[in-house]
Amino acid sequence: MIQIAPDAPIGSAPSRRAAMPPRHLADLDLPGRQAVIAELGEPAFRAKQISTHYFGRLVRDPERMTDLPSASRDRITEALLPNLLTPVREVACDDGATRKALWRLHDGSLVESVLMGYPDRVTVCISSQAGCGMACPFCATGQAGLTRNLSTAEIVDQAVHLAGVAASGAVAGSPPRLSHVVFMGMGEPLANYSRVVAAVRRLCAPAPEGLGLSQRHVTVSTVGLVPAMRRLADEGLSVTLALSLHAPDDELRDELVPVNQRWKVAEVLDAAWHYAERTGRRVSIEYAMIRDVNDQPWRADLLGRLLAGRLTHVNLIPLNPTPGSRWDASPKPVEREFVRRLRAAGVSTTVRDTRGRDIDGACGQLAAAAVTP
Ligand code: SAH
């Protein structure tokens, strides 16, 4: 069981701050970058120049910043563009349409991100923490525990790096421009709240302040940290909220998503409907289909009753295999019956594809452990 003291700022214990990386321009808004530039004694417009390289042109190599005099270039890149993510390995599957990147952070922590190309869009799935403290027993990331929160720039830089990969034309059959970001990699985004919200703002600010994505194309997924969900509803953002529900009843959800011991199904759904009301955005309900565990017809009916008439959409995720797991995915006929019952209750429902399964890059498979040096 996870221990969460009432009102504790989850995941922000001071001891973890020690390992935070150096400041990077993606940690700062444009005025913040201008202040750093001023401290360096450089003209203010250099803040926009360096931002345009990073966010607009996806360039991070100082040699290519030929509009900056070389002395300024070194000073500025040292102050605002430290190397945050070192690529350790990149593996592809689905004919190159899915790529998993493994990064080493400045303190040796490892995190993963996944790039997924579709005919009409390119999505990256990014991590918000190294490891995860939520301990869901069917998820590989949950097994090793939390190492630390990522900084805003460490989060943003995953998307910017992979936007560069997409722009190079590496994802055949997809547009070259990154369009969608999902916070469904390693970690619990709402346990690293302020950095994740800052990262969303940076990803969505128009270039050169940010990457210029549409807020509607960003999804933040949560195990259901109720106070943080309510806070997110008041941020004035129109990102999609995804709730990892996985069971409609407290008895089972207490086991599958241990944080349910703190915030129950009814409370977490209330917070989801509050989010939908405040933002006008449909809340996604994530539900991993686990054979003989949560896939019974009665659970489909109960879920249907809880969700009927709400601004919501159910994503069923066939359980992906994880090391040492005693669970399997539901058989297809069982899955079809589950879908049928939810739809009969009037609940919009789809089954998620299993992109990245071959490279342990699918939902719940990110563990960043298997490094062969
Ligand atoms: N911590 C956040 C963000 C991770 S999103 C959250 O839990 O929402 C990753 C999604 O994949 C979550 O819905 C998670 O519950 C789901 N997942 C985890 N392990 C899985 C597995 N083995 N098979 C399928 N889905 C899984």
Side-chain angles (χ1 to χ4, degrees), residues 17-322:
R17 287 212 181 110
M20 292 309 264
R23 174 194 61 200
H24 182 281
L25 68 84
D27 288 312
L28 306 168
D29 58 12
L30 198 53
R33 292 170 215 164
Q34 280 159 346
V36 174
I37 291 288
E39 275 167 33
L40 296 175
E42 293 282 341
F45 65 85
R46 298 253 185 263
K48 270 198 179 160
Q49 276 182 313
I50 187 84
S51 302
T52 299
H53 283 297
Y54 178 77
F55 280 118
R57 301 178 54 217
L58 309 174
V59 162
R60 60 185 68 229
D61 173 7
E63 296 295 308
R64 293 179 57 199
M65 303 179 182
T66 48
D67 57 343
L68 293 171
S70 61
S72 315
R73 204 188 292 173
D74 293 345
R75 255 200 310 274
I76 293 171
T77 51
E78 199 180 69
L80 285 171
L81 273 183
N83 181 41
L84 297 179
L85 309 181
T86 305
V88 176
R89 202 172 44 167
E90 196 185 310
V91 278
C93 70
D94 304 323
D95 288 330
T98 306
R99 290 160 183 275
K100 181 171 83 164
L102 173 67
W103 316 104
R104 189 188 314 281
L105 309 181
H106 80 109
D107 61 345
S109 301
L110 297 170
V111 295
E112 295 177 316
S113 334
V114 186
L115 176 66
M116 290 164 285
Y118 301 87
D120 61 333
R121 59 168 140 154
V122 175
T123 301
V124 295
C125 174
I126 57 177
S127 298
S128 55
Q129 298 182 310
C132 185
M134 298 297 126
C136 304
F138 56 93
C139 176
T141 310
Q143 303 319 299
L146 177 67
T147 304
R148 69 168 167 89
N149 284 322
L150 300 192
S151 70
T152 297
E154 284 173 323
I155 297 169
V156 171
D157 202 32
Q158 297 168 58
V160 174
H161 253 292
L162 292 179
V165 172
S168 73
V171 194
S174 295
R177 207 179 138 70
L178 172 69
S179 51
H180 291 68
V181 169
V182 297
F183 283 79
M184 294 192 180
M186 300 171 72
E188 166 51 41
L190 297 189
N192 187 12
Y193 187 89
S194 56
R195 297 180 193 94
V196 163
V197 168
V200 169
R201 294 194 192 283
R202 219 103 312 136
L203 291 170
C204 298
E209 180 155 20
L211 199 54
L213 299 181
S214 157
Q215 288 184 9
R216 291 163 179 269
H217 290 177
V218 173
T219 300
V220 174
S221 185
T222 180
V223 289
L225 305 185
V226 166
M229 290 165 73
R230 292 187 171 275
R231 198 172 154 198
L232 189 66
D234 293 330
E235 293 286 349
L237 295 170
S238 46
V239 298
T240 299
L241 180 67
L243 169 63
S244 297
L245 194 66
H246 305 310
D249 53 301
D250 287 318
E251 193 184 348
L252 180 56
R253 194 166 192 267
D254 280 350
E255 185 189 350
L256 294 182
V257 185
V259 79
N260 195 70
Q261 294 161 21
R262 176 80 166 80
W263 292 291
K264 298 295 174 190
V265 171
E267 278 175 278
V268 91
L269 286 177
D270 266 356
W273 310 145
H274 174 72
Y275 188 86
E277 249 160 54
R278 288 300 306 256
T279 61
R281 307 284 299 151
R282 197 163 80 155
V283 174
S284 292
I285 301 291
E286 313 291 295
Y287 199 103
M289 291 293 287
I290 315 177
R291 176 187 213 137
D292 297 332
V293 172
N294 64 352
D295 61 359
Q296 303 81 356
W298 73 266
R299 283 203 161 93
D301 293 342
L302 176 55
L303 185 61
R305 286 198 296 279
L306 293 176
L307 305 187
R310 302 294 186 168
L311 192 57
T312 189
H313 174 88
V314 175
N315 257 314
L316 298 179
I317 317 172
L319 186 80
N320 291 307
T322 57

